[in-house]
């Protein structure tokens, strides 16, 4: 798994030729769904699943299956930033953990302070419909907690990949890959906690760990 991550990083570091102008920061759509994979550098975490993204109401839903330290897991995460809460949902036994989010909503788009790194082609532009132009950006993670390298499509500004290196040790670098993106959210109920979550009591944190988007993958 670590080899796959390193190959992906190397791909992002190879600049394409032929573009005279530096791409400008783009604005991603406010509503879309798709698939996501997550892996950590120490290979303890690998997950794949679906996600729904709503920048208007500041909501993210993740439904994932994966492995942590060679053990399988299946759960859902619902982050409601305007309410300041995050739900860890386990449908197999209908249990729900409700914790206070400890970060502000960060849009899944090119950050305002990002620096352009390179423009690459996934596939080839030698033939029609066989290549995808992607722009790579770098910068500091929110709250100066680490660094990131993210890529977005030149047309549409949809996320392709992200590499995040936190300052703390943790699991080291995390890689995110996004695929099968579809504009809009067909199922608005994806952002509604299931009925069995109504009795969940709010916790300030979980075992003393920071509760935010990145803590989902710890």
């Amino acid at each position: 798994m670590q080899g796959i991550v390193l190959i992906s990083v190397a791909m992002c570091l190879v600049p394409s030729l032929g573009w005279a102008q530096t791409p400008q920061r783009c604005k991603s759509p406010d509503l879309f769904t798709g698939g996501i994979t997550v892996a950590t550098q120490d290979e303890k975490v690998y997950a794949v699943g679906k996600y729904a993204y709503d920048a208007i109401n500041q909501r993210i839903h993740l439904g994932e299956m994966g492995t942590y330290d060679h053990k399988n897991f299946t759960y859902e995460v619902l982050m409601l930033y305007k309410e300041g809460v995050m739900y860890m949902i386990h449908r197999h036994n209908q249990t729900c953990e409700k914790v206070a989010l400890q970060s502000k909503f960060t849009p899944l788009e090119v950050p305002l302070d990002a620096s352009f790194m390179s423009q690459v082609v996934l596939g080839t532009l030698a033939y029609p419909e066989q290549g995808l132009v992607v722009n790579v950006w770098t910068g500091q993670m929110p709250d100066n907690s680490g660094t990131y390298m993210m890529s977005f499509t030149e047309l549409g500004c949809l996320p392709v990949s992200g590499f995040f290196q936190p300052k703390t040790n943790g699991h080291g670098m995390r890689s995110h890959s996004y695929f099968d993106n579809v504009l809009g959210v067909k199922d608005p109920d994806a952002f509604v906690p299931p009925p069995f979550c109504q009795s969940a009591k709010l916790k300030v944190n979980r075992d003393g760990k920071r509760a935010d988007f990145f803590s989902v993958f710890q």
Side-chain angles (χ1 to χ4, degrees):
M1 184 58 57
Q2 187 172 356
I4 296 176
V5 173
L6 293 177
I7 291 173
S8 299
V9 173
M11 176 200 71
C12 289
L13 292 176
V14 179
S16 296
L17 301 177
W19 287 276
Q21 296 182 348
T22 299
Q24 299 298 309
R25 180 183 176 275
C26 59
K27 176 71 170 63
S28 298
D30 289 328
L31 298 167
F32 55 90
T33 61
I36 184 173
T37 63
V38 179
T40 57
Q41 189 176 16
D42 63 4
E43 300 185 352
K44 283 190 174 182
V45 177
Y46 178 74
V48 59
K50 296 181 179 180
Y51 73 95
Y53 171 82
D54 177 5
I56 299 174
N57 297 294
Q58 300 184 2
R59 304 179 297 185
I60 298 176
H61 178 269
L62 297 172
E64 297 195 306
M65 297 179 293
T67 60
Y68 175 80
D69 202 12
H70 305 294
K71 296 180 180 179
N72 295 333
F73 66 80
T74 300
Y75 65 85
E76 297 174 46
V77 178
L78 177 60
M79 287 166 276
L80 305 176
Y81 284 87
K82 286 188 175 181
E83 298 178 20
V85 297
M86 177 171 69
Y87 293 91
M88 305 287 290
I89 303 167
H90 304 274
R91 293 188 183 273
H92 68 284
N93 58 7
Q94 293 199 335
T95 59
C96 186
E97 186 176 0
K98 182 180 179 181
V99 299
L101 278 170
Q102 295 172 292
S103 65
K104 296 181 180 180
F105 177 75
T106 301
L108 189 55
E109 61 185 20
V110 181
L112 291 172
D113 59 350
S115 298
F116 174 72
M117 185 175 183
S118 65
Q119 190 173 70
V120 301
V121 174
L122 304 182
T124 177
L125 294 182
Y127 300 95
E129 300 182 357
Q130 292 190 16
L132 179 67
V133 180
V134 172
N135 296 323
V136 184
W137 305 82
T138 62
Q140 294 291 322
M141 288 166 54
D143 302 326
N144 197 31
S145 58
T147 58
Y148 66 80
M149 181 171 64
M150 302 175 67
S151 63
F152 294 82
T153 59
E154 168 72 5
L155 298 177
C157 201
L158 288 167
V160 176
S161 64
F163 302 92
F164 307 90
Q165 180 64 61
K167 286 184 177 180
T168 56
N169 290 330
H171 296 294
M173 183 177 68
R174 303 184 186 96
S175 68
H176 298 182
S177 295
Y178 304 90
F179 57 94
D180 292 343
N181 290 320
V182 177
L183 297 182
V185 177
K186 293 184 179 180
D187 182 14
D189 289 340
F191 301 112
V192 178
F196 58 83
C197 284
Q198 294 180 359
S199 60
K201 295 183 179 180
L202 181 66
K203 298 180 181 179
V204 176
N205 56 25
R206 186 174 65 244
D207 299 328
K209 296 179 180 179
R210 181 180 176 86
D212 57 16
F213 180 83
F214 293 98
S215 69
V216 173
F217 311 110
Q218 292 179 349

